[in-house]
Amino acid sequence: MGGGGDIFSQMFGFGGGAGRDRGPKKGKSVQHSIKVTLEEIYKGKTSKIAVNRDRICKKCDGKGGIDGANSTCEGCHGRGMRTKMTQIGPGMYSQSTGPCDECNGTGETIDEANKCKNCNGKKVVKEKKVLEAIIDKGSPHGEKYVFHGESDEHPDREPGDVIIVVNEQPHSVFKRKGADLLMEKEVSLLESLTGCDFVVDFLDGSKFRVQSPKGKVIQPDQLMTIEEKGLPFHKNPYRFGNLFVLFKVKFPETLQEAQVKDVQQVLKGMKKNVDANMDASETVTLIPFSQDQKNTHCQ
Ligand SMILES: [Zn+2]
Ligand SMILES: [Zn+2]
């Protein structure tokens, strides 16, 4: 194996070659973002993530070879870094400092015959591990789940952490703010005047039926509230946020003369629209929206 990644991680661990004597340093933490839908945030989710990380070779106990096989690299005198002169033109040289080629930046060499066969002298071997993150109900976007010491291990430093970050995916119907949800609902002018009755496919897989109060006219851009049809509160999942419904009233572009007459006769004779599918497990009622229904802080 080897390659650029190892060199960079070694450079990181040594802090540029000067930090070796200051005791073990902590290795780099690795972040993994996981996509989580709003449905999954509603219900909670167990997410598995496979990490391929370095672990200290058990055969050589992280020494890279048998006892006495290690010696200070002659190329860099154990510094791990080396200053190189590169000819860039006739009589012109550029000076650069980088990890030593001979020891791969480790500052030591292991004699070939006594190298550990298991890790080929690298002191570490790749190991795959599946980590299980339990995404809480109502988990906020950007929430971090830390797996301490599960990243790369190395003899010279403490292993870094693996951090799993919740990346909430946009939802086609609901927008989220804290534990509250917002949805837009388009209604016809007729519905806005005579009342609306529709079904919402909810995040838990159920359906509920929404009815406006009798005699209540829905204004364009009116916000109404369905209590406790938001997300579970984060870390308090028996309480729920609210669902706010923003009504968009679709006005007819034109009315025929006869219709105008009908409207003038105090809106008589109009038929109400109903959802084709009223197969809902529950019927809920819209109430007027107010600011104190918000549960934005509850996460
Ligand atoms: Zn060297
Ligand atoms: Zn080994």
Side-chain angles (χ1 to χ4, degrees), residues 156-218:
D156 293 330
R157 55 186 177 266
E158 285 178 42
D161 303 330
V162 173
I163 301 167
I164 292 180
V165 186
V166 171
N167 181 8
E168 181 193 311
Q169 299 298 291
H171 194 272
S172 60
V173 176
F174 304 107
K175 285 193 177 70
R176 175 205 192 173
K177 192 133 198 189
D180 294 331
L181 297 171
L182 171 73
M183 67 174 281
E184 266 189 34
K185 176 66 184 172
E186 190 182 275
V187 293
S188 67
L189 177 59
L190 178 60
E191 287 171 299
S192 84
L193 296 172
T194 62
C196 66
D197 192 350
F198 58 95
V199 168
V200 172
D201 289 309
F202 199 47
L203 296 171
D204 61 358
S206 74
K207 292 165 181 242
F208 57 82
R209 187 170 168 180
V210 183
Q211 293 174 325
S212 55
K214 284 208 165 54
K216 164 84 185 150
V217 173
I218 296 165

Side-chain angles (χ1 to χ4, degrees), residues 73 75-76 80 100 102-103 107:
C73 172
C76 62
C100 171
E102 281 176 47
C103 62

Side-chain angles (χ1 to χ4, degrees), residues 3-299:
D6 285 343
I7 291 169
F8 285 128
S9 60
Q10 283 155 7
M11 283 172 72
F12 182 85
F14 294 160
R20 276 188 91 184
D21 300 327
R22 289 185 211 146
K25 290 195 162 191
K26 187 153 175 160
K28 222 183 263 182
S29 292
V30 180
Q31 281 205 6
H32 293 275
S33 155
I34 47 163
K35 291 180 178 176
V36 185
T37 65
L38 213 47
E39 283 86 352
E40 289 166 339
I41 287 173
Y42 188 94
K43 289 181 247 182
K45 185 196 183 188
T46 302
S47 228
K48 285 182 182 173
I49 187 154
V51 289
N52 195 19
R53 74 270 170 85
D54 288 339
R55 294 276 106 175
I56 287 175
C57 175
K58 289 193 178 76
K59 290 270 157 57
C60 63
D61 219 10
K63 293 192 193 80
I66 62 163
D67 281 337
N70 304 41
S71 55
T72 303
C73 172
E74 286 170 13
C76 62
H77 307 290
R79 285 171 55 239
M81 303 294 279
R82 210 171 168 182
T83 303
K84 277 177 274 196
M85 301 291 279
T86 314
Q87 187 163 12
I88 54 171
M92 287 166 69
Y93 292 87
S94 98
Q95 184 179 312
S96 63
T97 303
C100 171
D101 298 335
E102 281 176 47
C103 62
N104 237 355
T106 60
E108 63 175 13
T109 49
I110 301 165
D111 105 69
E112 201 59 45
N114 292 320
K115 260 186 190 172
C116 170
K117 301 281 180 294
N118 190 46
C119 62
N120 197 28
K122 288 190 166 63
K123 303 179 179 179
V124 290
V125 288
K126 286 283 178 202
E127 184 205 79
K128 197 171 163 181
K129 185 170 181 186
V130 175
L131 300 174
E132 228 178 59
I134 296 164
I135 311 298
D136 306 316
K137 291 180 178 184
S139 187
H141 176 65
E143 179 78 349
K144 287 177 177 166
Y145 294 88
V146 180
F147 294 83
H148 294 282
E150 294 289 2
S151 188
D152 288 342
E153 214 173 45
H154 193 273
D156 293 330
R157 55 186 177 266
E158 285 178 42
D161 303 330
V162 173
I163 301 167
I164 292 180
V165 186
V166 171
N167 181 8
E168 181 193 311
Q169 299 298 291
H171 194 272
S172 60
V173 176
F174 304 107
K175 285 193 177 70
R176 175 205 192 173
K177 192 133 198 189
D180 294 331
L181 297 171
L182 171 73
M183 67 174 281
E184 266 189 34
K185 176 66 184 172
E186 190 182 275
V187 293
S188 67
L189 177 59
L190 178 60
E191 287 171 299
S192 84
L193 296 172
T194 62
C196 66
D197 192 350
F198 58 95
V199 168
V200 172
D201 289 309
F202 199 47
L203 296 171
D204 61 358
S206 74
K207 292 165 181 242
F208 57 82
R209 187 170 168 180
V210 183
Q211 293 174 325
S212 55
K214 284 208 165 54
K216 164 84 185 150
V217 173
I218 296 165
Q219 312 293 325
D221 293 321
Q222 184 166 7
L223 202 53
M224 294 191 82
T225 303
I226 300 166
E227 287 186 301
E228 297 190 348
K229 285 294 179 190
L231 292 172
F233 286 10
H234 188 220
K235 303 199 163 141
N236 188 8
Y238 297 103
R239 293 200 58 201
F240 292 86
N242 294 322
L243 170 59
F244 304 122
V245 184
L246 177 64
F247 284 97
K248 295 287 173 186
V249 179
K250 179 107 175 117
F251 281 74
E253 294 288 328
T254 56
L255 285 181
Q256 289 168 358
E257 212 181 305
Q259 288 178 304
V260 174
K261 277 181 184 162
D262 284 347
V263 172
Q264 283 168 339
Q265 285 175 43
V266 204
L267 310 168
K268 275 177 191 159
M270 284 183 172
K271 228 180 124 191
K272 211 160 117 179
N273 274 356
V274 286
D275 260 346
N277 180 10
M278 284 297 182
D279 180 28
S281 60
E282 198 181 348
T283 300
V284 294
T285 312
L286 290 162
I287 60 169
F289 167 81
S290 72
Q291 290 293 340
D292 62 13
Q293 292 157 342
K294 287 186 177 176
N295 299 290
T296 315
H297 59 290
C298 299
Q299 70 166 25

